[in-house]
Amino acid sequence: MPVISAPYAFNEEDLYVDLRSIFGHSLFLKCEGFNFAGSIKLKAATEMVEDAERDGILTPESILVESSSGNLGVALSVIAASKGYRFLCVTDSRVNLSNRMMMEALGSRVHVIAEQEAVGGFLGARLDYVRALCASDDRYVWLSQYTNPSNWKAHYRRTAPEIACQFPRLDVLFVGAGTTGTLMGCARYFRRWHRRVRIIAVDSVGSVSFGGSPGRRMIPGLGTSVRPPLLDESYVDEVIRVEEAETLRACHRLARRGFLFGGSTGTVISGATDWMARHDARELTAVAIGPDLGERYLNTIYQTDWVRDLYGEDVLDSDKEAADSWADVPSPPSPAPP
């Protein structure tokens, strides 16, 4: 029975979902959302904060500041609240309302960037704001998840060994690419492992992480509008780019089977199942890393009006199937007037 005194001390490390019955492929999803921050970002946040403390960069007078689309901001809010730090999250208008509310409930402040830069998008505008903030007051400490090696080291030390322990015959690993901390940590670990593991990076269409033109991205988490400084493509065997409509379909397909996952997880699963459908994967041991759960996406990717307004009426066949399954059931009677 785990007994903890700090919220960042707990993280479920060994939970996997076998997706064969849902997607028809033997794919194991490593579920990283079962902790008090609700995502894999708790690992990187803990590593970066503790390293900054050891190096004397972070002191009781410091004010943590970070640019985040949501999940890392929540993770740092959990840690800051536990350790007694002040924390300011710089995000943008795509942030999920639930993430913003959670950060504020934990005592953090949230600054929302409304306008994106012509080159660099929302991320570029967020980074400029953080730099100006740090220049204005030396109490601000920017951990910089985009350049901080502690980001990838957290996954080299924890996430990858966890997978290796459970799957000693691993053949293929699918990892979503945002800051690329998870990707680089796992790729570096398995490059030195006892057997060859194919590393497949999963990115969002419209992201410039691996080159290409920037495009509209409404689901926060994976993808960037600025090339990630942590990324070393020599460790990556292949890149899959996923349309956001496919992310939505994967998430809703899982929800119809009782699994409510977040947008980043839906993107990774969509990319992984597409890759497996195009390859002879019957004899392969394949794992995908699921970064987040779905509760914080209830007002976006699981909200019918939001989905239809952005992606069109016919993007989700699963919603039509669900409606059809209730077609022969009469509506409940209206309540009697008082």
Side-chain angles (χ1 to χ4, degrees), residues 87-205:
F87 171 54
L88 170 63
C89 181
V90 180
T91 187
D92 61 62
S93 54
R94 298 170 302 172
V95 65
N96 288 337
L97 177 61
S98 54
N99 273 335
R100 178 176 179 176
M101 293 177 67
M102 188 167 184
M103 286 187 274
E104 292 173 339
L106 290 163
S108 301
R109 289 188 175 180
V110 180
H111 179 82
V112 179
I113 299 292
E115 300 293 332
Q116 55 185 315
E117 293 183 348
V119 177
F122 279 118
L123 177 56
R126 282 165 25 197
L127 296 180
D128 283 348
Y129 185 87
V130 172
R131 292 187 188 102
L133 204 62
C134 292
S136 71
D137 190 329
D138 59 11
R139 290 177 298 173
Y140 283 106
V141 173
W142 180 21
L143 297 175
S144 185
Q145 63 166 324
Y146 311 98
T147 61
N148 194 327
S150 297
N151 184 346
W152 69 259
K153 287 177 182 177
H155 304 288
Y156 183 92
R157 294 169 178 162
R158 295 186 59 186
T159 308
E162 291 161 9
I163 295 169
C165 180
Q166 297 297 324
F167 296 92
R169 303 294 296 174
L170 180 67
D171 295 300
V172 187
L173 180 64
F174 298 94
V175 190
T179 65
T180 67
T182 308
L183 175 64
M184 287 294 95
C186 291
R188 282 185 166 92
Y189 180 90
F190 284 110
R191 176 66 64 88
R192 303 178 62 180
W193 207 36
H194 68 89
R195 62 183 275 115
R196 172 84 165 83
V197 175
R198 188 175 298 184
I199 303 296
I200 311 294
V202 183
D203 198 10
S204 300
V205 170

Side-chain angles (χ1 to χ4, degrees), residues 3 11 24 34 44 54 61 63 67 70 72-73 101 109 120 151 162 169 172 198-199 201 206 253 292 317 338:
V3 177
N11 188 72
F34 290 98
R54 280 192 293 270
E61 293 75 33
I63 305 171
S67 160
L72 184 79
M101 293 177 67
R109 289 188 175 180
N151 184 346
E162 291 161 9
R169 303 294 296 174
V172 187
R198 188 175 298 184
I199 303 296
R253 188 170 178 180
D292 54 0
D317 294 334

Side-chain angles (χ1 to χ4, degrees), residues 32-33 37-41 68-74 91 94-102 178 204 217-223 244 247-252 254-255 259-268 289-308 310-311 316 319:
E32 286 281 353
S39 81
I40 196 172
K41 289 292 189 178
S68 170
S69 61
N71 283 337
L72 184 79
V74 172
T91 187
R94 298 170 302 172
V95 65
N96 288 337
L97 177 61
S98 54
N99 273 335
R100 178 176 179 176
M101 293 177 67
M102 188 167 184
S204 300
R217 291 179 296 111
M218 299 304 298
I219 302 174
L222 300 186
E244 288 192 331
T247 294
L248 294 169
R249 293 186 183 108
C251 286
H252 282 253
L254 286 158
F259 293 106
L260 198 70
F261 285 108
S264 297
T265 299
T267 301
V268 172
I289 298 177
D292 54 0
L293 302 180
E295 291 90 342
R296 296 179 201 162
Y297 294 83
L298 292 176
N299 64 331
T300 54
I301 64 176
Y302 293 108
Q303 213 284 326
T304 302
D305 290 340
W306 187 89
V307 171
R308 288 177 177 171
L310 291 173
Y311 303 96
L316 294 177
D319 278 359

